Amino acid sequence: MGKGRIIKALSGFYYVENEDGTFQCRGRGNFRKRKITPLVGDWVEFEAENKTDGYVLHVDERTNELVRPPIANVEQAVLVFSTEEPSFSSLLLDRFLVHVEANNIEPIICLSKIDLLEDETEKAIQLYEKTYREIGYEVVNTSIYVDETIETLRPYLSGKVSVFAGQSGVGKSSLLNALMPDLNIETNPISKSLGRGKHTTRHVELIKVENGYVADTPGFSSLDFNGIEVEELGFLFPEMRERSKGCKFRGCTHVNEPKCAVKAALELGEIAQHRYDHYVQFIDEIKSQKRRY
Ligand SMILES: Nc1nc2c(ncn2[C@@H]2O[C@H](COP(=O)(O)OP(=O)(O)O)[C@@H](O)[C@H]2O)c(=O)[nH]1
Ligand SMILES: [Mg+2]
Ligand SMILES: [Zn+2]
């Protein structure tokens, strides 16, 4: 009997790693009947007489579980947003941040391709950086052509399980290659990546980096607000979460209620207007999603 973490799942096998090495295991016979599906990232109990004939006996409780990619116990998400090509979208960033917060995952905001940053957009980007830092988020700037920026990102991956998330073309795969040159993950020039579907078999795997792990597939394929309630949304914006204690009404949604501490902070400029606007937009989306089902 041993304890370990599943780092890869492929063709019915689970690859469990611990300090003694990696063990190829099958799921225990009754898992199927009990509807237990071990996931990459799971902590498990297993038994193995050798490195290739093990059995996963028990799956520990998960801190979270992503559906696509199927991976459990993710601790950190590196949210990659290019400053140019594609240009920076604070709306999309806020959407990602809400999902990360809802899943109990620590975000790192990575502003990529800073070598392409134009003078006209630089000011705006710096202002965003300041806003997000003040909220309490970590922000790093990267360019795959500037080694020092890659080295600033590296320590953040230490000792954690991370996923890289973000729009297609922002440079996720390129960043992973820059961090771990042996990986050779395929990257796509933007113009060619559109349209043609690739038919490579995908499996999820955790790759060791900086005594942590990185999932080699992008996290969060779906960004709808399924499962997030209107009353909950304010708690997923850290700058609102703190201030909502000062609202007159319990369960204040910070939209039309009087004596709202969040709106007061907005008036004072302590909460960024774009963050609040996106919050209101997400509230509307949640409400119209509810109406549809
Ligand atoms: N100028 C510049 N281009 C980059 C950078 N990182 C990635 N790219 C380019 O952006 C395109 C998309 O990169 P890729 O890593 O495939 O993005 P992904 O879809 O997020 O995995 C490729 O043509 C890369 O060469 C960067 O830091 N600077
Ligand atoms: Mg990629
Ligand atoms: Zn309020």
Side-chain angles (χ1 to χ4, degrees), residues 64-127:
N64 58 39
E65 184 181 326
L66 302 183
V67 180
R68 255 178 301 153
I71 176 170
N73 303 321
V74 173
E75 294 164 289
Q76 179 169 268
V78 180
L79 304 180
V80 184
F81 277 73
S82 49
T83 52
E84 311 272 351
E85 297 179 19
S87 52
F88 178 73
S89 162
S90 63
L91 175 63
L92 193 60
L93 174 57
D94 288 341
R95 207 178 275 279
F96 269 100
L97 285 169
V98 163
H99 281 76
V100 165
E101 297 276 352
N103 283 288
N104 263 319
I105 297 171
E106 193 69 41
I108 303 288
I109 299 169
C110 174
L111 299 176
S112 63
K113 305 196 189 183
I114 52 162
D115 56 290
L116 297 180
L117 194 55
E118 305 274 358
D119 290 344
E120 304 93 80
T121 34
E122 190 168 357
K123 278 255 152 53
I125 294 288
Q126 282 171 350
L127 202 58

Side-chain angles (χ1 to χ4, degrees), residues 74-75 100 110 118 162 169 179 187 214 242 249 256:
V74 173
E75 294 164 289
V100 165
C110 174
E118 305 274 358
S162 305
L179 286 159
T187 61
V214 173
E242 287 164 23
F249 295 101
N256 291 316

Side-chain angles (χ1 to χ4, degrees), residues 234-278:
F235 291 96
L236 306 177
F237 282 70
E239 72 273 49
M240 297 187 189
R241 179 165 62 216
E242 287 164 23
R243 290 177 168 100
S244 64
K245 295 186 198 100
C247 296
K248 173 145 197 241
F249 295 101
R250 273 198 358 130
C252 182
T253 63
H254 325 307
V255 182
N256 291 316
E257 297 90 338
K259 303 239 161 84
C260 167
V262 167
K263 287 213 301 204
L266 178 70
E267 301 282 303
L268 290 171
E270 292 171 10
I271 288 179
Q273 186 68 46
H274 80 269
R275 289 275 292 168
Y276 183 76
D277 292 344
H278 296 159

Side-chain angles (χ1 to χ4, degrees), residues 168-188:
S168 164
V170 293
K172 297 179 294 296
S173 303
S174 304
L175 274 174
L176 288 172
N177 284 334
L179 286 159
M180 299 162 279
D182 295 341
L183 270 186
N184 274 319
I185 303 177
E186 195 173 344
T187 61
N188 298 308

